[in-house]
Amino acid sequence: MLRERIAEDVAFFSSDLYAQVCAGVIGTPDGAILIDTLALPSETQEIREYIQQRMNSTVRFIVNTHHHADHCGGNYFFPEAQIISHELCRILMDSKDRGALASAKQENRDLSNAQIILPNVTFREGSLYFLVGKRTIRIFPLPGHTPDGIGVLLEEERILFAGDAMMPLPFFRDGDMDQMVATLKTIAGMGLENIVQGHGDVILRGEIDEMIASHLIYLDRVKKEALNAVRWNWPVEDLRQIPIEKCGKSRILLNGLAPDLHYQNLVAAYQKIRREESVARVPRKPAGK
Ligand SMILES: [Zn+2]
């Protein structure tokens, strides 16, 4: 696991074992705020030890940035913590994640003790604020990757923990591409110093504009390719013929997971366009009848 200090009492962790998934911690005089857990129990345990031994603290709050198990599957390591999320995150964890964990347990013995622990502090819109020491911490929605995405902003230091709203490759299979575009534009306008992504390296101030511009170009190209496929009535499998490079991103991103995520993006875009088209095609009743 990679560990890096980003500011006073603020660190981030990135997995060596699964898709460079990230978590973060903010130390406060009243205990630590953990932002996400990591995918595998051994790495979440390492974070717990770091907080106990190096920060001399315990986790008082966990923020789950969204319901995907690589971000919230380690909640059970912190039974003393209050868990904060979007209200939809709690609902999705309670439904989708339970089935997913049951099948993951069959495949991975390391997960045999894993349990789903649901968030107990949820919100739907607006922002939650924590005022701790000299810091103002704002927790607010960042949908697009999933509908329940939230981010954590250190207001004074302009450091954003973005969850999967920021990844080396935008990924919206479980979300919505148009919402993702809106969220990226919001992030671009926030005047940030650092972004801790849901996966991959920390993005520095000088890299943010270029990174977001490249994500927006990618999303635009994916949409155009999907529109073209719908127009020419391609079967969905043929979307595999549209390489990631054609949409401006590299296949080596995310330890080689990128081409598969790209295909899933194309499928999601294609299905959304089809759904909306079929709504538009419903014949109207002729006037007067
Ligand atoms: Zn995710």
Side-chain angles (χ1 to χ4, degrees), residues 40 69 93 95-116:
L40 295 170
M93 278 173 75
S95 49
K96 273 176 82 176
D97 288 10
R98 289 197 190 280
L101 178 61
S103 42
K105 280 188 179 197
Q106 313 266 328
E107 282 162 30
N108 188 344
R109 263 206 217 141
D110 292 349
L111 296 173
S112 55
N113 294 323
Q115 301 170 42
I116 291 192

Side-chain angles (χ1 to χ4, degrees), residues 6-245:
I6 332 180
E8 196 186 336
D9 297 324
V10 181
F12 109 105
F13 311 93
S14 176
S15 173
D16 295 326
L17 304 174
Y18 178 75
Q20 297 168 285
V21 62
C22 299
V25 66
I26 305 168
T28 87
D30 299 323
I33 302 174
L34 178 65
I35 301 158
D36 284 342
T37 61
L38 292 185
L40 295 170
S42 58
E43 291 187 313
T44 300
Q45 262 168 317
E46 263 186 76
I47 294 180
R48 187 174 64 181
E49 280 159 25
Y50 174 82
I51 293 169
Q52 281 169 353
Q53 290 162 17
R54 304 286 292 275
M55 297 177 81
N56 202 15
S57 186
T58 52
V59 174
R60 177 105 187 266
F61 293 98
I62 303 176
V63 180
N64 286 154
T65 60
H66 62 298
H67 70 281
H68 286 158
D70 52 341
H71 295 266
C72 60
N75 285 354
Y76 70 97
F77 280 102
F78 306 93
E80 69 286 0
Q82 306 278 325
I83 305 174
I84 302 168
S85 78
H86 193 281
E87 110 185 332
L88 282 173
C89 177
R90 184 183 156 96
I91 293 168
L92 290 163
M93 278 173 75
D94 201 16
S95 49
K96 273 176 82 176
D97 288 10
R98 289 197 190 280
L101 178 61
S103 42
K105 280 188 179 197
Q106 313 266 328
E107 282 162 30
N108 188 344
R109 263 206 217 141
D110 292 349
L111 296 173
S112 55
N113 294 323
Q115 301 170 42
I116 291 192
I117 306 294
L118 297 177
N120 57 343
V121 181
T122 65
F123 71 109
R124 187 185 315 174
E125 52 194 9
S127 296
L128 284 182
Y129 285 90
F130 279 80
L131 305 173
V132 279
K134 285 179 277 178
R135 280 202 169 102
T136 315
I137 299 169
R138 177 158 83 97
I139 305 174
F140 62 103
L142 286 176
H145 169 72
T146 54
D148 62 329
I150 59 174
V152 179
L153 176 69
L154 305 186
E155 290 253 2
E156 290 82 8
E157 290 140 308
R158 311 309 295 164
I159 297 169
L160 175 67
F161 290 85
D164 285 356
M166 281 295 285
M167 294 173 55
L169 182 76
F171 180 47
F172 57 84
R173 178 198 63 202
D174 296 337
D176 181 274
M177 62 179 163
D178 297 317
Q179 243 176 5
M180 178 141 241
V181 167
T183 284
L184 289 172
K185 288 181 176 168
T186 301
I187 294 173
M190 287 176 74
L192 297 170
E193 284 292 325
N194 292 135
I195 300 176
V196 180
Q197 313 187 85
H199 297 257
D201 298 330
V202 174
I203 306 173
L204 310 175
R205 180 173 55 174
E207 303 165 333
I208 293 173
D209 287 353
E210 195 182 327
M211 175 80 77
I212 291 181
S214 135
H215 287 351
L216 291 172
I217 289 170
Y218 169 78
L219 291 167
D220 187 55
R221 289 187 186 164
V222 164
K223 195 171 185 174
K224 285 193 176 121
E225 292 293 337
L227 205 57
N228 197 43
V230 171
R231 200 168 280 147
W232 291 97
N233 222 4
W234 290 17
V236 73
E237 314 80 67
D238 286 10
L239 294 168
R240 286 214 186 267
Q241 293 167 20
I242 303 166
I244 186 168
E245 289 80 5

Side-chain angles (χ1 to χ4, degrees), residues 257-287:
L257 282 178
D260 186 48
L261 302 189
H262 168 66
Y263 171 67
Q264 295 185 50
N265 280 337
L266 285 164
V267 171
Y270 173 96
Q271 287 169 340
K272 179 176 177 178
I273 294 164
R274 280 224 148 147
R275 260 193 324 270
E276 291 178 354
E277 249 204 358
S278 66
V279 172
R281 274 186 196 162
V282 173
R284 286 194 198 140
K285 277 188 186 171

